[in-house]
Amino acid sequence: DGGITQSPKYLFRKEGQNVTLSCEQNLNHDAMYWYRQDPGQGLRLIYYSQIVNDFQKGDIAEGYSVSREKKESFPLTVTSAQKNPTAFYLCASSIVTGQTGELFFGEGSRLTVL
Amino acid sequence: AQSVTQLGSHVSVSEGALVLLRCNYSSSVPPYLFWYVQYPNQGLQLLLKYTSAATLVKGINGFEAEFKKSETSFHLTKPSAHMSDAAEYFCAVSDRRGYSTLTFGKGTMLLVSP
């Protein structure tokens, strides 16, 4: 079945450590996105990528980094510079050409900083 | 810039009662509008979307929403709530660019009591 796979589902990190969240899609979608979700704040865009080897900052990119070396993969690194990294992270993808704006989401990764 | 306001962070209904979740949007161009549902510790699932065809949009699980341009609203309704409808609901707006950076509301938690 086509879809988006995020791993790990749950992740614990000590302060000062970098951590990388994986996102893989087999939908053949051009664009991929990372959102952060905090209780009562909805979803906030961290980074997005429309094409391989290109990506743009979203609204809250500070303390995060991404890469897009393959169409199927868009990993997110939460660096030690992110002051409050504990959150639920959602990866999504979409068609670009002729699309209606619909996003398809993975199941999410919950990061907890100890 | 586009924005979404969801009135009420929590809405409580009894099983069998009408569900009404409110969403107002702001967009400088004719928007695409979406409702997503999220169950605990899961990703978002599309309920329905408005893409400038019929103003009354029917979605999955018996939900529907009506686009009202004059009121800049896209409220979500369901005639009779089920216990399984208890979840968090997000309204989102897209500005119809070739790629999609949806702007989400802060979400409304629907609580259903027996």
Side-chain angles (χ1 to χ4, degrees):
Chain A
D1 288 333
I4 299 175
T5 301
Q6 290 187 239
S7 62
K9 179 74 172 175
Y10 298 94
L11 186 61
F12 298 89
R13 185 194 98 176
K14 294 181 179 180
E15 282 193 29
Q17 289 181 334
N18 292 356
V19 62
T20 297
L21 308 180
S22 171
C23 179
E24 303 278 334
Q25 56 101 355
N26 61 5
L27 299 168
N28 199 32
H29 285 175
D30 300 299
M32 297 187 73
Y33 312 80
W34 275 103
Y35 284 88
R36 169 178 171 142
Q37 184 178 15
D38 297 281
Q41 296 202 40
L43 277 70
R44 293 180 290 169
L45 183 65
I46 305 172
Y47 269 98
Y48 63 98
S49 168
Q50 303 169 59
I51 194 170
V52 174
N53 292 324
D54 187 43
F55 48 82
Q56 286 77 42
K57 293 181 179 180
D59 301 317
I60 56 165
E62 185 175 353
Y64 300 97
S65 65
V66 294
S67 62
R68 186 88 187 275
E69 298 177 359
K70 299 186 301 181
K71 186 176 183 178
E72 302 79 18
S73 179
F74 192 43
L76 173 74
T77 297
V78 184
T79 75
S80 56
Q82 170 50 235
K83 298 304 181 187
N84 185 20
T86 294
F88 192 53
Y89 292 89
L90 287 160
C91 180
S93 69
S94 70
I95 303 168
V96 173
T97 303
Q99 57 111 26
T100 59
E102 178 181 350
L103 294 184
F104 295 79
F105 284 86
E107 292 290 292
S109 293
R110 185 168 297 281
L111 173 62
T112 303
V113 174
L114 303 174
Chain B
Q2 53 197 27
S3 65
V4 173
T5 302
Q6 291 184 240
L7 276 177
S9 59
H10 292 78
V11 170
S12 296
V13 300
S14 299
E15 194 172 19
L18 171 72
V19 175
L20 171 60
L21 304 182
R22 299 178 186 272
C23 173
N24 288 89
Y25 70 91
S26 171
S27 178
S28 58
V29 298
Y32 292 145
L33 293 160
F34 306 83
W35 276 101
Y36 283 86
V37 61
Q38 184 183 35
Y39 298 97
N41 290 312
Q42 293 187 23
L44 276 66
Q45 178 185 4
L46 181 69
L47 272 180
L48 49 80
K49 62 184 178 184
Y50 166 75
T51 58
S52 75
T55 56
L56 182 62
V57 181
K58 294 187 183 297
I60 62 172
N61 302 336
F63 285 93
E64 62 182 36
E66 185 171 9
F67 172 68
K68 292 187 177 180
K69 183 178 179 180
S70 61
E71 299 178 8
T72 61
S73 69
F74 191 57
H75 302 330
L76 182 70
T77 61
K78 182 174 180 178
S80 176
H82 294 170
M83 297 295 291
S84 60
D85 294 327
E88 190 159 24
Y89 293 80
F90 291 93
C91 183
V93 62
S94 166
D95 64 4
R96 302 192 177 200
R97 288 180 290 180
Y99 57 92
S100 175
T101 57
L102 293 191
T103 299
F104 286 85
K106 293 184 183 297
T108 297
M109 185 69 72
L110 177 65
L111 307 170
V112 183
S113 57

